[in-house]
Amino acid sequence: MEQLRLGTCKVVRRAFAAGAFALLAILLPACQSPIQKTQDERTFHALKAPTVLERWGEGPRRIGLVFKEPLTLEAFLAGSPHEVEGVFFVIGTLQGAFRSPKPVAPEKAVKRVRDFARFYLTRQKTLDRKQIERFLAEYQVHRYTEREARARFRGSPEAQALARTLVERSVNRRYAKRVLEGGEPVIYAVEAFASPLEILRIWGGRIEGVALYSPSCRFHPPKPKAVLEGIRVIRDQISQMDPDRLFDEAVRILREEYGMAPLFRDGCCPGGDAVN
């Protein structure tokens, strides 16, 4: 029976962990076979991006660029070229992209980023809840008191891993809310159809690197250090939580964010400090 439960738990965990990225499979189409490319198209130019943009000249080109620090949606709209073909964004630890087969107004790209944040706060949360309910039912959590459940949790690496996923989802929802409210740095790279000199005038001091791309093989930007560091800080903070604090935080999320109360046989639902 324990082996059966462990097997079921692993299936639930894979489904739970994969759910948030269902939309990304739609937003990120596979790159087709690349056409013959010039040296510039093969190379991501870091450090010397301004010089490279000046060399590319005035005529419009398909240019992929990475920012040193992510831009807020508002800052992106305020200084964006007239047309873009894609944006790459980060929301907490989530990473996604919107790509269009043809140039579109930057307002459309921003709308798609907001749509993803809204999806994560609504539909994705509903999908997560179904997986959580299956997990709780499988382990018959309602049969245990809070003390018994905590003791079992301390001895279960699988349950602790699921709790860390739950906490990370909660943190990401807070970032998604900030994106919708405005002012949250989110866009870290852009596919722009514009004059290199125009891009230099608009974003020159903010650019970490640039590269040309083509319709048949799109831009695949490296993530700037600021994005990688932000993700690392969130995950390190969660991974360093001891089992008792992790248990309290997971129960708080189940109770306050998913409305699952009471959880235990004695009806006790302990609270805990939220992750900053």
Side-chain angles (χ1 to χ4, degrees):
M1 178 59 72
E2 290 300 323
Q3 291 180 346
L4 177 60
R5 287 185 178 181
L6 180 58
T8 303
C9 181
K10 288 182 177 179
V11 171
V12 171
R13 182 183 175 190
R14 285 196 295 268
F16 183 54
F21 302 100
L23 186 62
L24 300 188
I26 300 173
L27 295 178
L28 290 166
C31 184
Q32 301 173 4
S33 298
I35 60 173
Q36 184 68 35
K37 297 187 288 291
T38 67
Q39 181 63 37
D40 281 341
E41 288 176 305
R42 287 198 299 266
T43 304
F44 179 74
H45 299 273
L47 302 179
K48 297 181 179 179
T51 302
V52 172
L53 288 169
E54 287 180 351
R55 175 160 54 83
W56 285 346
E58 190 67 57
R61 292 172 177 250
R62 286 182 166 89
I63 301 173
L65 55 115
V66 175
F67 299 113
K68 297 175 184 176
E69 301 275 349
L71 302 183
T72 66
L73 299 180
E74 296 75 20
F76 172 72
L77 285 176
S80 178
H82 296 301
E83 294 181 311
V84 299
E85 290 189 322
V87 294
F88 299 79
F89 57 89
V90 59
I91 301 176
T93 63
L94 296 172
Q95 302 146 63
F98 160 68
R99 281 172 164 165
S100 172
K102 59 183 180 180
V104 299
E107 289 79 6
K108 182 174 181 179
V110 166
K111 180 181 182 300
R112 292 298 295 271
V113 176
R114 289 195 174 112
D115 286 347
F116 180 85
R118 195 172 293 109
F119 166 88
Y120 195 77
L121 287 170
T122 54
R123 178 60 177 159
Q124 184 59 54
K125 187 176 179 181
T126 300
L127 295 174
D128 288 349
R129 182 187 176 97
K130 293 178 180 178
Q131 299 294 343
I132 293 166
E133 288 173 343
R134 290 172 60 185
F135 171 75
L136 295 176
E138 173 65 25
Y139 277 84
Q140 300 181 336
V141 173
H142 65 280
R143 294 179 55 190
Y144 305 111
T145 65
E146 181 270 335
R147 186 185 300 274
E148 291 169 339
R150 185 186 295 271
R152 287 177 173 269
F153 182 84
R154 288 180 185 138
S156 173
E158 187 74 18
Q160 292 175 28
L162 282 166
R164 288 191 173 89
T165 300
L166 186 70
V167 174
E168 185 172 325
R169 294 289 175 85
S170 176
V171 172
N172 287 339
R173 281 195 295 273
R174 292 206 293 272
Y175 278 94
K177 288 178 183 177
R178 294 176 195 170
V179 170
L180 295 178
E181 292 167 355
E184 180 66 23
V186 60
I187 294 179
Y188 69 86
V190 178
E191 289 180 329
F193 185 70
S195 159
L197 295 183
E198 179 187 10
I199 289 177
L200 184 59
R201 286 192 295 268
I202 295 171
W203 286 322
R206 292 180 167 182
I207 297 174
E208 182 172 285
V210 294
L212 297 179
Y213 68 93
S214 67
S216 61
C217 193
R218 305 295 289 265
F219 184 45
H220 294 280
K223 295 176 183 63
K225 291 180 180 179
V227 169
L228 296 175
E229 179 66 12
I231 294 171
R232 185 194 65 77
V233 167
I234 293 172
R235 289 182 171 160
D236 281 356
Q237 186 178 14
I238 295 171
S239 68
Q240 291 167 9
M241 296 173 73
D242 63 65
D244 282 322
R245 188 187 175 202
L246 185 61
F247 179 85
D248 287 341
E249 179 65 5
V251 170
R252 183 199 67 78
I253 292 168
L254 293 175
R255 181 186 62 187
E256 297 180 6
E257 300 183 21
Y258 290 95
M260 296 180 176
L263 288 170
F264 308 111
R265 192 178 71 207
D266 53 10
C268 178
C269 291
D273 294 331
V275 176
N276 293 324

